[in-house]
Amino acid sequence: MKFTVDGHEGYAYTGGKPFDPALPCVVFIHGALNDHSVWTLLARWCAHHGYSVLAVDLPGHGRSGGLPLTSVEAIAAWLHRLLDAAGVQRAALVGHSMGSLIALEAAGRASHLVMVGTAYPMKVSDALLTTARDQPEAAMAMVTAFSHSVASAKPGYPGPGAWLRGGSMALMRRLQQRQTAVNLFENDFQVCDRYTGGEAAAARVTCPVHFILGALDQMTSPRQNAVLGGLLKPRIHTVPAGHALMAEAPDAVLAALRAALQAST
């Protein structure tokens, strides 16, 4: 589904069902150098079980036009404008990694807040930032290795023969090559590294909060959640996966998401 936001086309995958703003809405927000496709299983389940779905491509990513935005705050404001264009007042916000910070910042309009593979502060090492700037292909390989818990993960969704690491690399390569105006990988990692508004954003949250974390996550370790955990008092779901937990443990992540969406407190 396409929307016009700030004079540019914004894209959101609707899970294989026509978008109906009258239904409870779930908004999926991807992480750095990703797009809506990382949410396919979760988006389709929600769309076929009574929810409307918007799995967005952030500005300058995937099918959404414009330049990539340079701060969590700016992306959250863009997300609010996209929801306005879609006729959505409140939604369950589900964000992965960088997307979890965007969901937190935008959570004033959230009916539920689900932070997947999250950490705060989400600082990025100088070595990785430098490699992302100077050798983005090498940085992609580093992140792919860090994001998967084992070298050869057991295929889950979408089926036997899936190569999780290869698929992750292919997606990042494609997005990096399509965005010719800026180094998209470096931009997204800087967005994560710069964000310091987590405490203020957490103070504005009034909805149920759930964390879905990978027990073997080397990118955003569960140990990095003391600050937000203390402020948000979330229910924490831990799944046997690394940072790419939607790919590595799809059934466990879906079960945790279903529990989060059904929560009233």
Side-chain angles (χ1 to χ4, degrees):
M1 187 171 185
K2 298 177 181 178
F3 304 91
T4 300
V5 185
D6 301 336
H8 297 284
E9 188 173 273
Y11 176 80
Y13 172 63
T14 61
K17 287 277 192 177
F19 181 75
D20 182 354
L23 293 173
C25 185
V26 184
V27 177
F28 293 98
I29 309 160
H30 63 76
L33 205 61
N34 278 180
D35 68 3
H36 71 276
S37 64
V38 300
W39 298 111
T40 302
L41 172 66
L42 302 175
R44 287 189 65 82
W45 187 92
C46 288
H48 287 78
H49 289 84
Y51 297 94
S52 61
V53 167
L54 295 172
V56 300
D57 282 350
L58 296 177
H61 296 69
R63 301 182 189 181
S64 286
L67 290 174
L69 301 177
T70 58
S71 72
V72 166
E73 293 86 349
I75 303 170
W78 173 89
L79 183 66
H80 282 174
R81 293 191 290 275
L82 183 140
L83 294 179
D84 289 340
V88 175
Q89 295 302 311
R90 286 175 66 80
L93 301 183
V94 184
H96 174 243
S97 194
M98 180 181 79
S100 71
L101 301 181
I102 297 163
L104 172 63
E105 183 68 24
R109 290 178 63 166
S111 60
H112 299 75
L113 173 62
V114 185
M115 301 178 71
V116 184
T118 193
Y120 177 80
M122 197 176 286
K123 303 302 291 181
V124 181
S125 72
D126 290 340
L128 186 51
L129 283 173
T130 299
T131 307
R133 181 191 67 211
D134 298 337
Q135 298 177 284
E137 182 83 10
M140 290 178 214
M142 292 167 62
V143 168
T144 298
F146 294 149
S147 294
H148 295 83
S149 60
V150 294
S152 181
K154 178 182 178 181
Y157 167 81
W163 182 21
L164 299 187
R165 290 193 176 205
S168 176
M169 277 293 293
L171 174 61
M172 288 192 288
R173 265 196 207 105
R174 178 168 58 83
L175 292 168
Q176 181 78 354
Q177 290 169 357
R178 288 185 63 179
Q179 180 49 257
T180 58
V182 299
N183 181 333
L184 186 59
F185 200 13
E186 180 188 16
N187 178 86
D188 286 1
F189 270 87
Q190 288 178 337
V191 166
C192 298
D193 188 66
R194 291 176 184 144
Y195 183 59
T196 60
E199 292 90 347
R204 299 191 294 268
V205 174
T206 59
C207 63
V209 181
H210 290 244
F211 289 178
I212 306 177
L213 307 177
L216 304 172
D217 193 336
Q218 298 181 72
M219 293 289 290
T220 53
S221 169
R223 295 190 299 273
Q224 295 173 259
N225 284 297
V227 173
L228 283 186
L231 294 170
L232 294 170
K233 303 295 191 293
R235 179 179 172 188
I236 298 176
H237 311 258
T238 303
V239 302
H243 192 59
L245 59 174
M246 293 96 74
E248 284 196 319
D251 293 334
V253 174
L254 177 56
L257 177 64
R258 291 175 63 180
L261 295 177
Q262 292 164 5
S264 57
T265 57

